[in-house]
Amino acid sequence: MESLNIPVLTLIVVGLAVASVALSPRVRTADGFFRGWTETGQPPGVLTLTLSQVTTWIFARSLLNAGILGYFFGIAGVLAYTAYYGSFLTGWLITDRLRFHHGASSVQAFLFQRFGRTGTWCFNLLISLRLLSEVFANLLVIGIVFAAAGDQASNLAMVAVAAVTLIYSAVGGLRASLRTDALQMVLLGGALVLLLGFALVHPLFSAGAIVVSSPELSSPGWILLAVALLQVLSYPLHDPVMMDRGFIADRRTTRHSFLHAFWLSSFCILAFGLLGVFAGLNDGGEDGFLASLEPLLGGGAMLVLAVALVLSAASTMDSVYSSTAKLVVVDMGLVRRSATWGRLAMVATALGGLVLVLVGTDDLFAAVAVSGTASLFLAPVIVFSILLGRDVARWSLLVTFGLAMAGSVVYFLEDSGYVAWIGALTGVEHSYSKLLVVTVFILAGGMAAFALGVRRRERAGGSS
């Protein structure tokens, strides 16, 4: 993004920061800070909840990932990443079942009821790592956007975005996140429509070429689509941002917000991914997504793209802060239930994310590559415990958790080039093929452990 007008972008970002701070309410109640309710005790409506769901799930990292997958693997890569947004459908099913069939007030409450502290410990460890990694990944995207201005400007931009989102999140908690998400989603949607429009009117744009851009069924994009379809059941449960929004409104509002968020977010990700396909078809995969898109669309379009990335990063980070506060104070109960302790948890998360970025790593995927794989330990929980209502031994959860953690670590080591175990055992070479192998292995082992756990408890008359 060498032609990016940094001064103009900076002015736009400052304006967005001022608007977000001005829009954020000063919350005085615990329900307002941790649940997003108004001062009079009213939960958010369908529109607010839908826009918040969409903008918090269209991470800056997600936009780049969709574009990069389209650039390298064509339409298959875009469809694969879009498939993950089916998590809104499975997420609605999970929260609805938890709340209105099992009567749980949170995911942690259900896991404690079924698996004791073992269940909550495993779950809290996973989502704590995810929350921290989201701060890291989105700040890193901010650094990439401002990289053309030099390292000092890039670092300053990351610190500034972290600080501004922290300020208004600390003032208003989840209530502030919901209100600013609505504004950010409207602006983000407009930016994405503009970008897609720039591509559609370009003389080199060909809808037919995009449709047939992944002709080989062995393409890594199609393999990743298979992985996404296998992971989409468990993926939403390990995202506290989505789960938190599934427990704050009535049943009808929650259902409609999840269903509308599904089609709206899928459209946004698909649209951005098509920019990657367009760039790849006209560049030959030589220069990279952003570098090849710049000469095609020009400096004006790249400024719009940069604004979209900053918006998506900010909207995700304020939601991560509010979810962290709720996790530490409400769900884990580590400290007294107060906004003050929630704000301290937010500060710790912001500092942790900044440290991860500023120590020198520049791998966008390093901290998040394993989250979907690690979350697979929740798939048997969803099938056996949440959907079927079966009582399962705690050892089954521990075995499945161990499989998922081991599998995610092995995949990370394989993808980073440290080991070559999966290739040696199976003969597959591409990282997505290895990911598919790991996914199937974890799911098969986890389902088997839970099936055995059910039968043993029944024979033992209900003892674990």
Side-chain angles (χ1 to χ4, degrees), residues 180-261:
T180 55
D181 283 348
L183 169 65
Q184 291 158 349
M185 182 59 224
V186 171
L187 296 175
L188 177 60
L192 291 178
V193 169
L194 275 176
L195 287 170
L196 186 60
F198 284 134
L200 290 176
V201 300
H202 196 283
L204 294 178
F205 185 87
S206 170
I210 287 178
V211 170
V212 297
S213 57
S214 305
E216 301 293 333
L217 289 178
S218 58
S219 164
W222 296 119
I223 295 173
L224 183 59
L225 177 59
V227 173
L229 294 176
L230 290 173
Q231 293 188 353
V232 76
L233 176 63
S234 59
Y235 203 86
L237 190 56
H238 95 301
D239 189 307
V241 172
M242 178 186 286
M243 289 294 103
D244 286 348
R245 284 157 176 74
F247 284 86
I248 60 178
D250 61 77
R251 191 175 194 177
R252 180 181 179 277
T253 299
T254 302
R255 180 177 69 252
H256 284 295
S257 69
F258 271 79
L259 296 181
H260 288 311

Side-chain angles (χ1 to χ4, degrees), residues 40-61:
T40 57
Q42 295 297 315
V46 173
L47 181 61
T48 298
L49 202 53
T50 298
L51 294 178
S52 180
Q53 290 272 36
V54 174
T55 190
T56 54
W57 250 59
I58 301 179
F59 318 137
R61 170 181 59 85

Side-chain angles (χ1 to χ4, degrees), residues 73 220 223 227 411 414-415 422 428-437:
F73 307 122
I223 295 173
V227 173
Y411 171 70
E414 285 269 353
D415 191 49
I422 300 175
V428 299
E429 296 182 359
H430 196 276
S431 62
Y432 293 159
S433 298
K434 295 176 181 178
L435 180 58
L436 180 60
V437 170

Side-chain angles (χ1 to χ4, degrees), residues 6 75 163 258 281 297 313 327 331 338 396:
I6 295 296
I75 191 64
F258 271 79
L281 289 174
L297 298 186
L327 172 66
D331 297 328
S338 71
S396 300

Side-chain angles (χ1 to χ4, degrees), residues 337-354:
R337 184 185 171 101
S338 71
T340 299
W341 283 109
R343 292 176 179 122
L344 290 175
M346 291 178 175
V347 172
T349 304
L351 292 176
L354 281 170

Side-chain angles (χ1 to χ4, degrees), residues 18-42:
V18 172
S20 297
V21 173
L23 192 63
S24 301
R26 174 71 182 183
V27 172
R28 298 177 177 83
T29 64
D31 278 337
F33 193 87
F34 295 111
R35 304 184 70 184
W37 289 11
T38 65
E39 294 296 312
T40 57
Q42 295 297 315

Side-chain angles (χ1 to χ4, degrees), residues 1-13 141-150 153-154 157 195 290-291 293-295 297-310:
M1 302 176 74
E2 296 179 359
S3 65
L4 187 63
N5 193 324
I6 295 296
V8 173
L9 176 61
T10 302
L11 288 175
I12 294 174
V13 171
V141 173
I142 298 296
I144 292 172
V145 170
F146 283 87
S154 177
L195 287 170
L290 293 177
L293 193 63
E294 191 166 3
L297 298 186
M302 298 310 290
L303 179 61
V304 174
L305 185 147
V307 171
L309 292 175
V310 172

